[in-house]
Amino acid sequence: MSASLTPRIRTRFAPSPTGFIHLGNIRSALYPWAFAKANGGDFILRIEDTDQERSTQAAVDVILESMQWLGMQPDEGPYYQMQRMDRYKEALAQLQAAGYVYPCYMSVAELDALREKQIAAKQKPRYDGTWRPESGKTLPPIPEGVQPVLRFKTPTEGSVAWDDKVKGRVEVANAELDDLVIARPDGTPTYNFCVVVDDIDMGITHVIRGDDHVNNTPRQIHIFRALGKEPPVYAHLPTVLNEQGEKMSKRHGAKAVTQYRDEGYLADAMVNYLARLGWSHGDDEIFSREQFLQWFDLEHLGSSAARFDEAKLRWVNAQHLKAADDAWLAQQLLPRLRQRLQASGQTAEALEDGRLPAIAALFKDRCETLEDLADWALVFYLDAPRINEADRQQHLAQAPETLRPALAALRAAFEVIPADAWQKEAISTAFKAVLKEQGLKMPQLAMPVRVLTVGVAHTPSVDAVLQLLGKKKVLKFLAQF
Ligand code: GLU
């Protein structure tokens, strides 16, 4: 087939805005997005808000915010199902005219009774076709004052099958499917019907969604064909489990996607981690967004449930943090630092003094999240160090009589370094000279100096840290012993 005859790939993410969106949900957006982008196609966002009691604008906002954060902007949409009711009714009329639907007057009480009878007889509960018109069959008299539902006339013979990109060939006997309600007594269409009309109208070529929908698929395929269309390609993704092995859900403690942003995860790390939660590219664990979009295919989707692992997510984030551009990291740190400084009653002007990229460069490979990095960076902007108590005990309280003259000598040596020569080389030279003169080993002086200046004993090399802290603050803090 020539390229021009291949239809443009169109995928969709179709969340129901009920409750917040967690990682398991957003993964169902990631794959259709990536598949569309990997193939030069379109990714469509459709909000399935027909459950008016449970749908909220707040939930829609979180979906949009999460997708924006992760850089998975739709090419089209959001479309809202509630705004498409007229179109569904029109499609319903088309099915009715073609004889695919029939009214059913069975009351809820009758349905319940039928159900109980079937369960007692160890049968699968299903609608028994009482109101289904057949040639030669006499239907019961229409009860008065009852608004019927509309049911879809599912074929009784044969089977329905599709080649699922994850599950392989799936085949369901039509005898297993009862006649689905596709319109309620008030005429509003039901879920499975709206999905099919949307997937047709939006030209969806590949439906990539959670496998909690796999039971809907045979029914949806029948509706596609009744509307005169062939169904799209399906890929049903296995569930995402939480760390305890339960299906990830809010009830089971799942966090909203946006909470990971707030906790300092990078969008690209999140995309990387989620991508691997059900898809693989050889043994590659760490990859960029660009690589992912180049590599993504439906052939390497996993077929067993993936389990969320926060430690692994932190590790993936740490790798991305380490590889991130320092100036970019500085930008990401700014709002976090501003907030911390304001919380401790300081102004945030110093953040603009140009040190932040170098601070990010020095600390990024010992951090797992932007929050960790912000904790380190903050130290360089505080008016006074926050001294860790255990480090104070261990490094300042032990031998004050040895430390005091050494610190005085160090301050004197630092004083004479001209402000524009305050670089780690000069600092290191001064440091070594004092060690020699005082007969001390590096840790005996470096540890107390770190504790006094940045509050903790374990940091990257002390000369680099002091350079970034600045001469003025170093002298002031050392004088406080
Ligand atoms: N609205 C459905 C959900 O949130 C998805 C439907 C679909 O992808 O077909 O689970």
Side-chain angles (χ1 to χ4, degrees):
M1 197 194 280
S2 82
S4 60
L5 292 177
T6 311
R8 186 178 173 84
I9 284 174
R10 288 172 61 87
T11 61
R12 68 352 180 243
F13 175 44
S16 306
T18 54
F20 66 69
I21 179 166
H22 57 65
L23 292 187
N25 305 135
I26 200 79
R27 199 201 53 170
S28 301
L30 182 74
Y31 294 155
W33 166 74
F35 187 63
K37 295 299 104 187
N39 291 285
D42 301 315
F43 172 58
I44 291 133
L45 174 61
R46 174 168 90 223
I47 304 290
E48 302 204 323
D49 56 351
T50 53
D51 182 347
Q52 283 289 282
E53 296 205 335
R54 292 174 61 231
S55 298
T56 64
Q57 185 57 43
V60 173
D61 292 343
V62 178
I63 291 168
L64 299 176
E65 208 182 313
S66 303
M67 292 174 72
Q68 166 147 22
W69 172 50
L70 293 172
M72 306 187 329
Q73 275 87 347
D75 300 294
E76 278 175 36
Y79 296 112
Y80 292 85
Q81 285 190 323
M82 281 311 285
Q83 293 172 7
R84 291 179 38 79
M85 279 299 153
D86 290 348
R87 170 67 189 123
Y88 304 139
K89 288 183 183 163
E90 183 187 291
L92 197 57
Q94 182 190 335
L95 277 196
Q96 243 172 321
Y100 282 105
V101 291
Y102 63 91
C104 166
Y105 294 87
M106 196 178 263
S107 67
V108 175
E110 285 172 308
L111 276 170
D112 286 347
L114 174 64
R115 201 184 147 78
E116 273 173 33
K117 209 171 90 190
Q118 288 167 331
I119 291 175
K122 301 220 177 330
Q123 290 164 357
K124 192 170 150 192
R126 65 206 306 278
Y127 176 65
D128 65 357
T130 300
W131 290 90
R132 180 174 168 128
E134 310 280 7
S135 58
K137 174 177 168 189
T138 319
L139 294 177
I142 294 178
E144 239 172 83
V146 178
Q147 277 301 318
V149 298
L150 291 182
R151 285 190 186 267
F152 182 77
K153 237 176 162 177
T154 307
T156 48
E157 314 266 295
S159 63
V160 52
W162 75 95
D163 290 311
D164 196 282
K165 285 290 185 184
V166 178
K167 298 186 175 297
R169 184 140 184 102
V170 183
E171 186 161 356
V172 180
N174 286 328
E176 292 288 312
L177 308 168
D178 58 4
D179 287 350
L180 183 73
V181 173
I182 63 169
R184 301 184 184 87
D186 66 1
T188 56
T190 58
Y191 172 73
N192 277 294
F193 182 69
C194 300
V195 168
V196 173
V197 174
D198 286 343
D199 284 341
I200 291 173
D201 287 359
M202 295 169 196
I204 303 301
T205 58
H206 294 72
V207 168
I208 304 166
R209 63 181 171 198
D211 69 2
D212 46 337
H213 289 283
V214 77
N215 290 335
N216 291 328
T217 305
R219 300 179 178 288
Q220 293 183 4
I221 291 177
H222 281 309
I223 301 173
F224 265 100
R225 296 204 168 122
L227 287 168
K229 302 286 176 193
E230 270 309 293
V233 174
Y234 289 98
H236 287 93
L237 307 168
T239 317
V240 179
L241 304 174
N242 67 15
E243 298 203 286
Q244 287 70 45
E246 304 147 327
K247 186 174 156 89
M248 188 176 270
S249 72
K250 184 179 173 183
R251 206 157 37 87
H252 287 142
K255 290 191 256 188
V257 173
T258 43
Q259 196 173 331
Y260 290 93
R261 173 197 60 195
D262 300 344
E263 289 178 9
Y265 289 90
L266 305 182
D268 283 12
M270 211 70 203
V271 165
N272 181 165
Y273 177 76
L274 289 172
R276 284 286 295 108
L277 210 55
W279 171 85
S280 57
H281 182 265
D283 292 333
D284 291 312
E285 288 291 353
I286 301 297
F287 40 81
S288 68
R289 175 181 296 263
E290 290 69 30
Q291 285 171 313
F292 174 49
L293 293 183
Q294 251 168 38
W295 295 339
F296 186 73
D297 60 6
L298 301 179
E299 276 61 49
H300 293 87
L301 288 170
S303 58
S304 50
R307 194 189 269 230
F308 174 65
D309 175 351
E310 183 138 348
K312 172 136 185 230
L313 170 60
R314 293 183 79 82
W315 175 77
V316 170
N317 204 57
Q319 308 313 306
H320 280 262
L321 207 59
K322 215 185 278 188
D325 174 71
D326 300 326
W328 181 83
L329 278 176
Q331 284 306 314
Q332 310 309 304
L333 290 172
L334 271 180
R336 292 173 196 270
L337 289 170
R338 221 173 264 134
Q339 200 219 337
R340 279 169 163 77
L341 284 176
Q342 273 151 12
S344 55
Q346 278 188 230
T347 61
E349 281 143 47
L351 293 176
E352 312 291 341
D353 67 10
R355 288 180 293 158
L356 212 38
I359 294 172
L362 190 58
F363 287 92
K364 65 182 179 182
D365 57 2
R366 56 177 64 211
C367 294
E368 288 186 323
T369 65
L370 282 173
E371 283 291 283
D372 297 345
L373 190 52
D375 288 342
W376 275 116
L378 179 67
V379 165
F380 293 85
Y381 298 93
L382 288 174
D383 289 339
R386 294 178 181 160
I387 296 184
N388 175 283
E389 202 38 51
D391 285 341
R392 184 203 298 277
Q393 289 302 327
Q394 194 182 344
H395 299 287
L396 300 181
Q398 300 298 330
E401 58 297 333
T402 324
L403 192 51
R404 208 172 299 279
L407 284 173
L410 190 64
R411 272 166 43 216
F414 283 170
E415 289 276 9
V416 297
I417 300 177
D420 61 356
W422 184 256
Q423 301 292 330
K424 61 182 184 195
E425 295 72 20
I427 296 168
S428 170
T429 307
F431 220 101
K432 283 180 189 144
V434 172
L435 290 178
K436 197 163 172 210
E437 171 202 302
Q438 302 282 320
L440 295 174
K441 298 228 166 1
M442 188 62 159
Q444 289 173 290
L445 189 56
M447 294 311 211
V449 166
R450 286 178 166 115
V451 176
L452 282 168
T453 52
V454 293
V456 290
H458 295 279
T459 73
S461 79
V462 68
D463 45 6
V465 169
L466 296 185
Q467 176 189 330
L468 284 171
L469 193 58
K471 181 175 170 182
K472 225 169 109 194
K473 274 191 179 173
V474 169
L475 290 175
K476 180 174 146 199
F477 296 162
L478 290 181
Q480 267 147 23
F481 182 73

